[in-house]
């Protein structure tokens, strides 16, 4: 089975609807009280995006209830001895959703010891040569695990999360002008790309300035566009240029390291931003929010899924923890030399 993890139980029905719309099949809900969706592994999700899934475990193997040491041994026996492996273990529970403590912590620590004994090297999530082992414990104490090779992880780029079950919380920053900053911070973590000192950062629809605030904090040179100015202290920053006007019609030439948009607009207008900044390779990284009114517009996700296959970027289309009725679309230029 493939496992998909919606943000929570409320979003599960939208994930099921997305599956039947974009993958032309409908599935029953084997675990109505858990925020997980199981899909037959005959369905191929390589090079696919699923908007309402925060994480993915392909081709899972099930291990029935047993001692931690027995479950660990069963997993480790399947790992090639010369493998380099990034390991993630979490539990899915009815009450708390995704957690990484308790039994999953014990299994993580046991796996570490057993993998060391077997001579398996530990890798990092963003190391493209490393395999990924994702392990999920179920309430009946059975375990599902996925072993994802470097070649497969490239194909599943838009689906796999660095966070267990896609779940994370972003540290509270009371000085930020709005809570929207959490979306940019989470996007940067999901992309595994940092905003760094001197980066040229274009923030479209920037007011009151949460995203610009984050980029300024990192020492980026920020160009912010909105019809209204940002918070006063941000406007006074020597690293910020403010352009008052329409974010879909800007006078800027050349390219930026980051082009981001949190503009409140109809989702299809984000296609214009993709045409202007992404198809023309005018940024290294982009992060755009798709904002929905109600639940009648989600079918447009299919258009974006096709669109991101055509651009020279490694793209992720996915709802984040920090999103409300939104889905993020983001990417990194594949061939950085060509910028
Ligand atoms: C959700 S807010 C952005 C919040 C911001 N990311 C933050 O962290 O504080 C959306 C902004 O988009 C701006 N906006 C909407 N349409 C726009 C357009 N065509 N051009 C420029 N700004 C626009 C609105 O004025 C509003 O300030």
């Amino acid at each position: 089975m493939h496992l998909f993890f919606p943000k929570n139980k409320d979003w599960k029905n939208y994930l099921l609807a997305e599956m039947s719309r974009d993958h032309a099949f409908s599935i029953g809900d084997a675990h109505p009280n858990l925020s997980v969706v199981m899909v037959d592994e005959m369905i191929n999700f390589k090079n696919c995006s699923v908007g309402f899934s925060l994480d993915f475990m392909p081709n899972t193997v099930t291990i029935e209830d047993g001692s931690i040491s027995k479950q660990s041994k069963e997993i480790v026996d399947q790992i090639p001895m010369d493998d380099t492996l990034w390991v993630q273990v979490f539990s899915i529970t009815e009450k708390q959703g995704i957690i990484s403590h308790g039994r999953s912590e014990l299994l993580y620590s046991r796996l570490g010891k057993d993998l060391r004994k077997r001579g398996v090297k530990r890798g990092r999530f963003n190391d493209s040569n490393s395999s990924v082992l994702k392990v999920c414990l179920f309430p009946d104490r059975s375990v599902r695990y996925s072993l994802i090779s470097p070649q497969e992880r490239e194909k599943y780029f838009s689906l796999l999360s660095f966070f267990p079950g896609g779940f994370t919380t972003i540290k509270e920053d009371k000085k930020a002008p709005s809570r929207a900053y959490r979306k940019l911070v989470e996007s940067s973590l999901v992309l595994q790309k940092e905003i760094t000192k001197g980066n040229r950062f274009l923030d479209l629809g920037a007011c009151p300035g949460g995203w610009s605030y984050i980029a300024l904090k990192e020492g980026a040179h920020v160009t912010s566009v909105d019809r209204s100015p940002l918070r006063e202290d941000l406007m006074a920053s020597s690293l910020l240029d403010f352009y008052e006007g329409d974010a879909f019609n800007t006078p800027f030439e050349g390219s930026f390291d980051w082009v981001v948009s949190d503009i409140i607009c109809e989702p299809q207008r984000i296609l214009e931003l993709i045409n202007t900044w992404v198809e023309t390779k005018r940024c290294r990284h982009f992060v755009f929010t798709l904002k929905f009114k109600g639940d009648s517009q989600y079918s447009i996700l299919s258009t974006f899924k096709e669109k991101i296959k055509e651009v020279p970027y490694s793209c992720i289309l996915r709802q984040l923890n920090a999103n409300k009725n939104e889905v993020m679309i983001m990417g990194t230029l594949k061939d950085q030399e060509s910028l």
Side-chain angles (χ1 to χ4, degrees), residues 199-219:
N199 272 181
R200 292 152 299 152
F201 185 95
L202 176 63
D203 187 1
L204 303 169
C207 175
W211 291 24
S212 292
Y213 164 85
I214 293 295
L216 287 171
K217 247 186 19 174
E218 301 301 342

Side-chain angles (χ1 to χ4, degrees), residues 59-259:
N59 309 303
T60 54
V61 178
T62 303
I63 302 175
E64 297 308 333
D65 181 17
S67 66
I68 294 276
S69 55
K70 189 167 164 283
Q71 289 181 325
S72 169
K73 184 175 181 315
E74 265 192 59
I75 297 172
V76 171
D77 281 351
Q78 300 309 313
I79 314 286
M81 283 182 194
D82 54 353
D83 216 354
T84 302
L85 198 63
W86 182 81
V87 182
Q88 183 185 66
V89 184
F90 58 95
S91 300
I92 185 159
T93 69
E94 286 186 16
K95 278 204 179 123
Q96 296 157 282
I98 304 291
I99 55 169
S100 298
H101 51 264
R103 198 173 158 86
S104 51
E105 222 167 10
L106 294 175
L107 181 57
Y108 180 79
S109 138
R110 183 66 199 221
L111 278 169
K113 286 183 196 141
D114 291 347
L115 287 167
R116 233 184 346 266
K117 258 195 240 156
R118 196 172 166 81
V120 174
K121 292 184 277 306
R122 300 304 287 270
R124 287 177 299 133
F125 180 74
N126 54 2
D127 174 358
S128 56
N129 296 318
S130 175
S131 301
V132 170
L133 174 67
K134 278 180 179 269
V135 185
C136 177
L137 288 101
F138 274 61
D140 64 0
R141 294 160 75 102
S142 64
V143 163
R144 265 91 170 159
Y145 75 89
S146 284
L147 180 60
I148 306 153
S149 69
Q151 296 74 24
E152 282 174 318
R153 57 179 299 186
E154 206 185 309
K155 305 267 185 251
Y156 293 134
F157 182 75
S158 186
L159 298 173
L160 295 172
S161 178
F162 169 68
F163 301 109
F167 177 76
T168 185
T169 47
I170 301 298
K171 226 171 91 197
E172 205 60 38
D173 185 339
K174 294 218 162 67
K175 291 191 189 144
S178 69
R179 283 175 60 76
Y181 76 90
R182 295 174 307 132
K183 283 184 265 180
L184 179 65
V185 173
E186 193 177 343
S187 297
S188 153
L189 290 167
V190 161
L191 268 181
Q192 295 276 294
K193 298 290 171 200
E194 289 176 10
I195 302 162
T196 54
K197 195 170 172 191
N199 272 181
R200 292 152 299 152
F201 185 95
L202 176 63
D203 187 1
L204 303 169
C207 175
W211 291 24
S212 292
Y213 164 85
I214 293 295
L216 287 171
K217 247 186 19 174
E218 301 301 342
H221 291 284
V222 178
T223 305
S224 306
V225 182
D226 205 297
R227 296 200 178 103
S228 317
L230 312 192
R231 197 174 68 185
E232 228 167 274
D233 57 316
L234 303 178
M235 293 294 279
S237 167
S238 59
L239 286 175
L240 184 117
D241 285 320
F242 180 71
Y243 173 79
E244 188 175 335
D246 182 5
F248 293 100
N249 189 14
T250 55
F252 313 121
E253 287 176 359
S255 60
F256 289 82
D257 295 299
W258 291 82
V259 175

